[in-house]
Amino acid sequence: MKSQLIVETPTHKWIYFGRDPEKSEKIIDTNQYMIVTDKKALLMDPGGVELFAPMLANIVKHIPLEQLTHLFASHQDPDIISSLGLWDQTLPGAKLYSPWLWESFIRHFGMSNISYEPIPDEGSRLMLDQVEIHFIPAHYLHSSGNMNVYDPAARILMCGDIGAALEDHDVDIFVDDFEAHTKKMKFFHQRWMPSNSAKNEWIQRVRKLDIDFMCPQHGRIFRGEQVAQFLDWFEQLDVGKAGS
């Protein structure tokens, strides 16, 4: 599994994990992200049960395990959080932040020790040491209860399945040619995003944020002007279309 520093500020840094060449070809490739502050860390969408061992092995290369104090699940899908039962045994004192709507579903993955911290529909905020993290609503994109993570200091939006694309494990983590990349995103967004009104509400919300990096859970990371290019492309895309 690959890990790479995305951004480092005076107070914290963002680390990417993904592109595991040893995963099964029948399992979708996923991106995991971790925010590391002085004494704490937040692991976002930690992945499926099959990723637990490589994720654990890579995380301890960056921080001592006891520093991993917080988890985040954007929604209930197994590629997001089916590893929870193993993290529950490894991080018994950690907190999981996730939409309130999915608590009774996510607990099916195993949760005896980690505490569930439900995020209300309107979102909420979390302090990691002196770093303020925002949980941003992204309902119906594609989950009916769905959240993004926004870091105003680092100017990063972890956008979950929004911006997702299906890629090989050996490609770069950053988008190089935006127009070519849209071909890898179109079907996924049209089929998995069910609502144009929800899509447009999210776009209006996100356009108000200062974003240098937009980090999806699948595919590649958008940088700089590519963020605005994605929002313009997504705004014009008619979603909720089976067979498109």
Side-chain angles (χ1 to χ4, degrees):
M1 176 178 286
K2 183 175 184 177
S3 64
Q4 184 170 330
L5 179 69
I6 301 173
V7 169
E8 185 166 11
T9 78
T11 57
H12 63 298
K13 56 188 175 183
W14 278 66
I15 301 171
Y16 160 92
F17 302 90
R19 302 288 191 270
D20 185 0
E22 297 182 4
K23 73 172 183 60
S24 167
E25 292 182 359
K26 294 185 178 182
I27 293 177
I28 191 170
D29 195 41
T30 57
N31 303 327
Q32 292 71 227
Y33 303 95
M34 184 169 67
I35 301 173
V36 179
T37 63
D38 183 36
K39 298 178 181 178
K40 299 177 181 178
L42 168 67
L43 179 62
M44 292 163 276
D45 287 357
V49 64
E50 78 288 345
L51 278 185
F52 173 77
M55 279 297 299
L56 182 61
N58 276 272
I59 285 171
V60 296
K61 294 177 183 178
H62 295 275
I63 60 171
L65 194 56
E66 58 268 21
Q67 190 173 345
L68 183 51
T69 51
H70 296 73
L71 303 175
F72 166 80
S74 58
H75 58 289
Q76 82 291 355
D77 278 355
D79 63 323
I80 301 288
I81 194 61
S82 65
S83 58
L84 177 61
L86 295 171
W87 289 114
D88 188 67
Q89 298 173 43
T90 308
L91 306 171
K95 296 181 178 181
L96 171 65
Y97 287 78
S98 195
W100 71 270
L101 185 65
W102 294 120
E103 179 176 359
S104 58
F105 291 80
I106 285 176
R107 284 186 178 276
H108 281 280
F109 294 126
M111 193 174 179
S112 300
N113 301 303
I114 291 175
S115 64
Y116 196 101
E117 303 293 330
I119 303 172
D121 283 342
E122 64 271 20
S124 62
R125 300 186 181 188
L126 168 67
M127 293 300 299
L128 291 176
D129 291 324
Q130 68 269 48
V131 178
E132 185 176 72
I133 302 301
H134 299 197
F135 298 125
I136 304 293
H139 303 307
Y140 300 100
L141 301 175
H142 65 92
S143 168
S144 52
N146 196 55
M147 289 285 160
N148 293 169
V149 178
Y150 176 58
D151 178 347
R155 298 162 65 101
I156 297 180
L157 179 70
M158 200 289 278
C159 50
D161 282 312
I162 305 166
L166 304 183
E167 296 276 11
D168 294 328
H169 70 266
D170 56 351
V171 301
D172 192 72
I173 70 168
F174 295 104
V175 174
D176 49 9
D177 183 332
F178 180 82
E179 291 303 323
H181 194 65
T182 61
K183 298 178 177 63
K184 300 178 181 180
M185 298 190 292
K186 183 178 179 182
F187 173 78
F188 180 88
H189 286 76
Q190 285 188 320
R191 185 62 194 260
W192 287 87
M193 307 294 173
S195 168
N196 282 304
S197 60
K199 175 199 74 173
N200 292 331
E201 182 179 342
W202 178 84
I203 290 171
Q204 290 177 355
R205 180 179 298 115
V206 169
R207 284 195 192 278
K208 299 174 184 177
L209 306 176
D210 291 326
I211 301 172
D212 289 337
F213 296 87
M214 199 176 94
C215 300
Q217 198 236 345
H218 307 284
R220 303 196 198 190
I221 297 170
F222 303 88
R223 295 182 288 185
E225 65 180 11
Q226 294 171 349
V227 175
Q229 285 180 297
F230 174 80
L231 296 177
D232 291 343
W233 173 83
F234 195 28
E235 192 169 37
Q236 296 301 315
L237 189 69
D238 190 19
V239 302
K241 298 176 72 66
S244 296

